[in-house]
Amino acid sequence: MKEISTLIENIDLTKEAPVNEPERQYYYIKKARTYIEKVVAEIGRPLTFCVTTFGCQMNARDSEKLVGVLEQIGYVEETDEEKADFVIFNTCTVRENANLRVYGRLGQLKKNKKANPHMMIGLCGCMMQEPEVVEKLKKQYRYVDLVFGTHNIYKFAELIVTRFESQRMVIDIWKDTD
C-alpha cells in the first residue's frame, strides 16, 4: 500500500493521463484528491462517505474496492448515509426487493442532496446494467451523480473526476454485459 501511495504522490498532473492501467487510475486518484482538498478547505471539515451493498454477497468485494478508492482520495468513512457527503449504493439484480429498496433510499437522499451542495450520490453494480433502470434514473433521479456497472468499477476515481469537471450526471455502462 505504501508503494502505491508513493506512486500516486510522484504523478505529475500537468501531463496527460496515462493510457495503461492501473497507472491511469492512480493519476485520477491524485487528481480527485485535489478536488476533495479544495472542498475540504472551503467547508472546513473532512468529506465523508457511506458505501452500502444491496442484494447479494457477490459484490461485497467491489464495495471494499470503492471504500479503498474513496479513502485514497481523501474521504473519511461515515456509517450513517444520512450524514455522508458521498453515498454509493452497490446494487444487485438477484432480488427485486433490493431494487425497490434502492429507489426508496434514493428518494430519501434527495432532501439531503438539496441541503448539502457538496453531496454526491453514486450507483453501481448489476442493477445499473439494466437499460430500463438507467432510463428511470435519467428521468426520475436526475440528482444522482454517478451510474456505472460492475465491469468498470476499476474506473471509479476517473468517474469521480469526470463528475467534478462536468458538473453533470456521469453514466458509464458497458453494453451487452449481462
Side-chain angles (χ1 to χ4, degrees):
M1 193 63 163
K2 186 174 171 79
E3 201 174 288
I4 292 172
S5 294
T6 304
L7 274 172
I8 292 169
E9 288 307 315
N10 292 328
I11 290 171
D12 183 354
L13 292 177
T14 63
K15 295 182 178 177
E16 289 291 314
V19 175
N20 297 325
E21 301 294 350
E23 292 81 10
R24 181 176 179 85
Q25 294 314 306
Y26 297 157
Y27 174 92
Y28 282 107
I29 285 171
K30 184 168 183 180
K31 194 165 188 177
R33 211 182 269 173
T34 64
Y35 287 112
I36 300 307
E37 288 168 355
K38 284 179 192 170
V39 174
V40 166
E42 183 183 316
I43 64 175
R45 64 168 177 80
L47 287 172
T48 59
F49 73 89
C50 181
V51 175
T52 303
T53 306
F54 284 90
C56 70
Q57 293 305 309
M58 294 288 288
N59 54 6
R61 177 77 174 117
D62 286 343
S63 290
E64 290 175 10
K65 293 175 189 174
L66 297 169
V67 167
V69 170
L70 288 166
E71 288 175 341
Q72 278 286 326
I73 65 175
Y75 281 92
V76 177
E77 191 161 15
E78 165 60 63
T79 56
D80 183 353
E81 68 190 38
E82 296 283 321
K83 296 177 183 171
D85 296 298
F86 195 132
V87 175
I88 186 151
F89 294 149
N90 188 359
T91 65
C92 176
T93 57
V94 174
R95 301 182 194 119
E96 187 174 335
N97 185 37
N99 287 24
L100 297 175
R101 286 178 36 220
V102 168
Y103 290 130
R105 300 275 275 279
L106 279 176
Q108 292 172 342
L109 288 175
K110 185 176 185 177
K111 68 177 177 359
N112 297 42
K113 177 110 174 154
K114 279 187 176 180
N116 180 357
H118 304 290
M119 184 178 188
M120 283 208 275
I121 300 171
L123 300 168
C124 68
C126 305
M127 183 179 158
M128 299 309 114
Q129 291 170 194
E130 296 178 0
E132 62 277 4
V133 169
V134 175
E135 285 308 308
K136 183 173 184 165
L137 292 170
K138 284 183 193 176
K139 290 178 181 152
Q140 297 176 16
Y141 300 91
R142 290 184 290 208
Y143 52 92
V144 170
D145 299 283
L146 296 175
V147 178
F148 57 102
T150 57
H151 302 288
N152 48 358
I153 198 165
Y154 73 93
K155 290 175 61 179
F156 187 40
E158 187 172 348
L159 297 172
I160 291 170
V161 168
T162 302
R163 171 59 183 86
F164 270 110
E165 292 176 350
S166 71
Q167 293 295 304
R168 292 195 170 117
M169 180 189 280
V170 174
I171 300 172
D172 193 356
I173 304 295
W174 295 1
K175 301 245 185 276
D176 303 320
T177 56
D178 359 341

